[in-house]
Every structure is written in C-alpha cells, then in structure tokens.
Amino acid sequence: MKAGVVAVQGDVTEHADAVRRAATAHGESVDVVEVRDAGIVPDCDALLMPGGESTTISRLIHREGIASEIREHVRNEKPILATCAGLIVCSRDAKDDRVDPLGVVDVTVDRNAFGRQKDSFEAPIAVAGLTDAFHAVFIRAPLIDEVGSDVEVLARIDDRPVLVRDGPVVATSFHPELTDDPRIHDLAFFPDMAVKA
Ligand code: GLN
C-alpha cells in the first residue's frame, strides 16, 4: 500500500509513524510518501491529512494543485484519515474565509470551538465498533456542528460528534496519531481489523 501524508504543514512525522505502525500490526507493507507537490496523490492508495493550521494547509494545497487531486482521490473511493486541521480542510464549511474547504466530508465545523473553553485536553471516548475506549488527545480542536445525512457519527463527547465517517473519509477532531493506539488508523485503512480489535 502506498500512503501519502499531506505534508505542506502540520504533524506529518507522527502520521507517517502511525500508519506504519497500523500496517505492521496487520502484516501489511506500506510505503509512506510526503505530499508537498501535485502529481503524487494520484499514485496513493490512502491519504492522511494531519493536524496543524488549517488556514495554512488550505492555502498551500490549493496553491500547489493538490486540492483537486484530493477530491479526485475521494471520487475514486480511496480512503483518507483527516485529523483536526485536516478535518477542517476536508469539511463542507469551516465558516472562515481563510479556509477554502474541500467539501469531501459533509459537515460544518467551528474552528477552535473546544479551544475557547479549554485549549487542550485528553479524554477516553467510546467509538462505535471498538470494544475498549480510545484515549483521545484534543488540541485546539474544531467542533463539528452540522452533520449531513450520509455521515456516520462514530464517537461523541458531550453529545458533540468528534469522529465521523463520510464514505471513504474518516475524520476526527482529536489526534489519534499522538498515541500508540492504531485503532483509528485501522478504522480508516484496515476496517476489518478494527472491528476485530
Ligand atoms: N485549530 C487549528 C486550526 O484551526 C487546528 C488545531 C490542530 O490541528 N491541532 O487549524
């Protein structure tokens, strides 16, 4: 499997390590490539959209011609895991003129909404299909507001969605790449394994 980490800005290394860990756990070999230019995404079987600063990531993926390739990746039903700023960039509406969202996840988000109450926090969350709680790390996390009818909500905190699936895209407002637990990467890329975990 060839996995591309959109690497224009954000926590790229952590995602590269996390997808390698998930693949190794299932005896799969994975070739991880960093995506900074156009022309790489079309060869990728899977994509990771890291956390970071959504305004910067949005600007750079449009400027470099990567944005349209990500949309094409989704049209081809290939998987993406988008976390935090990645979720904001993938949303339908980020309610911020500096973000030109890709609209590949049918949700609207409020940037830094959790952050206004509390900058960063960690909490165990119950995830649909997983037996044990997942330890979720939230850092200036976006709040998911409106959720389209085809979007599955897989986890919530205080009744707010924090983990959703829209077709081939799994998106989180927290940072699964910052823990050793590969189960969210499994949900995105090895769904049969995740259910067994
Ligand atoms: N709040 C950041 C943004 O709006 C996202 C934070 C993160 O990715 N940890 O881009």
Side-chain angles (χ1 to χ4, degrees), residues 7 11 14 22 25 37-38 60 64 77 89 93 104 107 114 119 122 127 131 149 153 155 163 174-175 181 193 195-196:
D11 62 338
E14 291 82 355
D37 306 294
L60 294 176
E64 298 305 321
E77 313 229 338
V89 171
D93 187 359
V104 294
V107 298
F114 280 113
D119 203 36
E122 301 186 11
V127 176
T131 314
S149 54
V153 176
L163 169 59
F174 56 94
H175 286 273
D181 189 338
M193 309 289 182
V195 173
K196 282 185 217 142

Side-chain angles (χ1 to χ4, degrees), residues 8-9 52-61 89 98-99:
V8 291
Q9 193 265 335
E53 191 53 44
S54 54
T55 53
T56 308
I57 296 173
S58 176
R59 183 167 49 82
L60 294 176
I61 59 173
V89 171
R98 293 166 300 168
V99 180

Side-chain angles (χ1 to χ4, degrees), residues 110-119 140-141:
D110 190 357
R111 294 182 61 221
N112 302 323
F114 280 113
R116 281 198 285 274
Q117 299 157 21
K118 215 175 177 195
D119 203 36
R140 296 188 301 118

